[in-house]
Amino acid sequence: MSGELQGDTAGLGLEATDAFDTGLYARLITDLDAAGARYRLIDHPPEGRTEVVSALRGHDVAHAAKCLIVMVKLGKKRTRYVLAVVPGDARLDLQAVKESLKGTYVAFAGRDKAEELAGSVSGTVLPFSYHPGLEVIADPALMRVPELFFNAARLDRSIALATHDYVRLASPRIAPITTTS
């Protein structure tokens, strides 16, 4: 679960995958347990919308880790993909992502590409990357809360993960990538 573009899997023994991974939930739990992460599982009715699922889980939407996959062009022939992780009540600033990577163009990745890179369907994207071509960038506002909440690669179960364990395991690039407008 490394935020490094090279696909380094930072001591967790993870194998990168390019295909949709139906075992992503089990893989995540195994990795969290192996790393000694502090987390709680929360069952709830199936839901992928951040505002709605936050209410079902019983926490402030600002404590949700909203995960968005973005395509950044670096010139005419090179493309990178970013897993942008922002507070659930924030809006992603695409220009900030573009500037962070010194890109020339930025847009949300298409649904098929996003699901391929994430290994899960929209609404269940983890704030971790198991794909070597998907770099994780997290907004620093996430670091202000003790726990982050996110769907656990499925619509009916979420995880509340200690924020410092998230940072330790995901190794995200920390950069301001939200907007107030």
Side-chain angles (χ1 to χ4, degrees):
M1 290 186 237
S2 172
E4 297 302 313
L5 188 59
Q6 308 97 327
D8 175 28
T9 49
L12 291 176
L14 306 177
E15 297 297 320
T17 181
D18 337 273
F20 183 75
D21 186 347
T22 56
L24 192 57
Y25 168 78
R27 186 178 186 183
L28 173 66
I29 297 303
T30 298
D31 293 338
L32 292 175
D33 287 343
R38 290 183 302 139
Y39 68 92
R40 296 180 287 119
L41 296 175
I42 304 166
D43 290 317
H44 51 77
E47 182 57 58
R49 294 169 293 172
T50 303
E51 298 80 15
V52 177
V53 76
S54 292
L56 292 171
R57 294 184 296 225
H59 64 83
D60 189 298
V61 71
H63 296 200
K66 184 165 52 175
C67 304
L68 306 157
I69 299 181
V70 177
M71 174 193 66
V72 180
K73 294 277 189 183
L74 306 172
K76 292 183 180 186
K77 298 190 182 209
R78 194 161 163 234
T79 301
R80 287 175 67 181
Y81 289 92
V82 170
L83 171 57
V85 185
V86 300
D89 63 345
R91 289 180 46 112
L92 179 64
D93 182 345
L94 288 172
Q95 293 307 309
V97 173
K98 181 175 100 172
E99 290 168 13
S100 178
L101 294 176
K102 298 178 177 46
T104 56
Y105 174 80
V106 64
F108 288 104
R111 183 183 208 117
D112 289 346
K113 185 65 174 180
E115 290 178 354
E116 172 194 332
L117 292 166
S120 64
V121 297
S122 182
T124 68
V125 175
L126 298 172
F128 297 96
S129 175
Y130 282 97
H131 193 288
L134 186 62
E135 177 180 3
V136 181
I137 300 178
D139 191 83
L142 291 167
M143 307 309 128
R144 295 185 202 130
V145 299
E147 283 183 311
L148 296 176
F149 295 80
F150 54 92
N151 276 1
R154 46 192 279 187
L155 291 171
D156 64 343
R157 183 167 289 164
S158 292
I159 291 181
L161 175 63
T163 302
H164 74 273
D165 283 333
Y166 168 70
V167 173
R168 177 174 61 91
L169 299 175
S171 301
R173 177 192 303 205
I174 308 295
I177 54 172
T178 60
T179 182
T180 55
S181 60

